[in-house]
Amino acid sequence: MKISKNFYSGFCFFNESELFSEYLITNDFTISGFSYGAIKAFEEALNSKERVDRLQLFSPAFFQNFDEKFKRAQLLYFKKDEDTYIENFLKNVVYPKEIDISKYFKKETAKELEELLFYEWSENKLQKLVDKGTIIEVYLGEKDKIIDSLKVKEFFKNYATTYYIKNKGHLL
């Protein structure tokens, strides 16, 4: 979900951009997104007719290194008990920190989770965005419990400046 002109929220989040204030660039020519919102921010930057100088992706939802069985199991667990799934998900999002993120919570649906899990980042699309002159920055936490930050770093290395932040998790 887009919460402002230039920031897209993560799965089960709303208005959480302040959590990234240390890194976030806010101007008319930068688009940013966290987790699921990184997918939305990327597609917006790619398809925008407006000038986009910079794309900031915070812990982008990247599950193409997981098999179909894993993704289907995640959806099944979510549909079986949404509240427990989301509770565990939010604990993993803040790890290794212990911060209260309840004010940013927004319940999502299985449809959004499915889109997040099955989204395929395309090297061709990344190159197209780079060719348009957009600088791509990817921010990853070393201790991320949601995505494999090393695999994400490896995937984006030819298209983006990657900031691999030691001793940080999904929320950096």
Side-chain angles (χ1 to χ4, degrees):
M1 164 180 275
K2 190 173 184 178
I3 62 161
S4 70
K5 182 176 186 228
N6 297 326
F7 186 87
Y8 289 82
S9 286
F11 180 75
C12 287
F13 279 83
F14 178 76
N15 207 19
E16 79 280 12
S17 62
E18 68 185 50
L19 295 171
F20 304 100
S21 61
E22 181 178 347
Y23 310 101
L24 192 62
I25 296 171
T26 54
N27 63 41
D28 289 341
F29 308 110
T30 299
I31 299 175
S32 307
F34 166 59
S35 185
Y36 177 58
I39 293 169
K40 301 298 187 186
F42 173 65
E43 290 293 332
E44 173 73 20
L46 183 66
N47 297 308
S48 179
K49 304 289 187 229
E50 309 268 325
R51 174 178 152 195
V52 179
D53 292 341
R54 184 176 313 268
L55 173 65
Q56 294 184 297
L57 306 175
F58 297 98
S59 297
F62 187 92
F63 294 96
Q64 58 207 58
N65 56 309
F66 292 92
D67 65 15
E68 177 100 6
K69 184 178 175 182
F70 169 84
K71 296 173 189 177
R72 291 281 168 219
Q74 293 297 308
L75 281 171
L76 181 67
Y77 296 144
F78 181 86
K79 290 175 182 176
K80 185 176 179 181
D81 187 351
E82 290 178 14
D83 293 334
T84 300
Y85 184 93
I86 290 170
E87 180 181 324
N88 289 329
F89 169 75
L90 293 175
K91 284 179 189 173
N92 287 332
V93 167
V94 298
Y95 179 86
K97 297 177 183 176
E98 290 189 25
I99 60 173
D100 179 12
I101 55 170
S102 60
K103 73 178 186 178
Y104 308 111
F105 176 73
K106 176 185 173 283
K107 193 166 187 177
E108 297 284 358
T109 67
K111 181 179 182 240
E112 283 91 8
L113 179 59
E114 184 173 18
E115 184 179 357
L116 174 154
L117 290 168
F118 286 91
Y119 184 81
E120 292 284 328
W121 291 91
S122 162
E123 292 185 55
N124 289 336
K125 287 180 176 181
L126 285 163
Q127 187 61 55
K128 183 178 174 185
L129 193 54
V130 169
D131 290 346
K132 285 173 60 173
T134 302
I135 296 167
I136 303 171
E137 297 176 345
V138 178
Y139 295 82
L140 302 164
E142 175 189 45
K143 294 187 175 191
D144 197 315
K145 290 181 98 176
I146 308 286
I147 59 173
D148 183 336
S149 56
L150 287 177
K151 292 214 186 293
V152 177
K153 182 179 178 184
E154 179 66 24
F155 179 82
F156 282 100
K157 73 179 182 183
N158 295 322
Y159 310 99
T161 302
T162 306
Y163 299 96
Y164 190 67
I165 305 166
K166 299 274 187 201
N167 298 316
K168 299 287 185 165
H170 201 67
L171 278 177
L172 307 174

